[in-house]
Amino acid sequence: MSLFVSDDIPREDLKPLVYKSFEAFGIPEAVKLRKLSSSKSINVCELWHGPTLSFKDLSNRFLGQLLQYILKKRKEHTFVLVGTSGDTGSSAIEAVKGSDTRA
């Protein structure tokens, strides 16, 4: 991630944000790569091991950590209002639930 963040977030701060983003996932690796039993050359990437069982947990959890980090540095709070159908809203709310951000 440090390649995409540049100097805005020091590397020693970024690493714990990444780890914390995925600690609520059901498996240690957050994303699991499995070979299809019927094929030796086809793999399937399982993206549903997050708290809401949605692939959106991958990005939303990290986004939630970044939001909290920036708000803490600025000594600010914000409200997150999500209005959607489907799994986007639950994933977004789960990403900031229990944080200093108001969801």
Side-chain angles (χ1 to χ4, degrees), residues 21-22 25 55-65 91 95:
S21 297
F22 304 116
F25 278 58
F55 72 92
K56 296 167 183 150
D57 288 327
L58 290 166
S59 59
N60 282 337
R61 298 283 297 182
F62 184 63
L63 183 61
Q65 290 299 314
S91 178

Side-chain angles (χ1 to χ4, degrees), residues 2-16:
S2 60
L3 294 174
F4 303 104
V5 177
S6 69
D7 296 330
D8 295 330
I9 300 176
R11 190 179 201 111
E12 61 272 6
D13 291 349
L14 184 61
K15 189 173 181 178

Side-chain angles (χ1 to χ4, degrees), residues 2 9 21 27 29-31 52 54 62 67 87 94-95:
S2 60
I9 300 176
S21 297
I27 57 173
E29 55 272 274
V31 174
T52 68
S54 167
F62 184 63
L67 179 62
D87 55 4
E94 185 66 31

Side-chain angles (χ1 to χ4, degrees), residues 46-82:
E46 297 178 355
L47 304 176
W48 60 81
H49 294 285
T52 68
L53 306 177
S54 167
F55 72 92
K56 296 167 183 150
D57 288 327
L58 290 166
S59 59
N60 282 337
R61 298 283 297 182
F62 184 63
L63 183 61
Q65 290 299 314
L66 287 177
L67 179 62
Q68 291 176 63
Y69 177 85
I70 292 167
L71 290 171
K72 187 175 181 181
K73 288 286 184 189
R74 294 180 179 176
K75 297 181 175 144
E76 295 177 356
H77 293 279
T78 193
F79 286 89
V80 177
L81 177 64
V82 178

Side-chain angles (χ1 to χ4, degrees), residues 24-41:
F25 278 58
I27 57 173
E29 55 272 274
V31 174
K32 189 157 190 105
L33 190 63
R34 289 189 185 259
K35 287 193 181 294
L36 284 181
S37 59
S38 61
S39 172
K40 293 184 179 183
S41 60

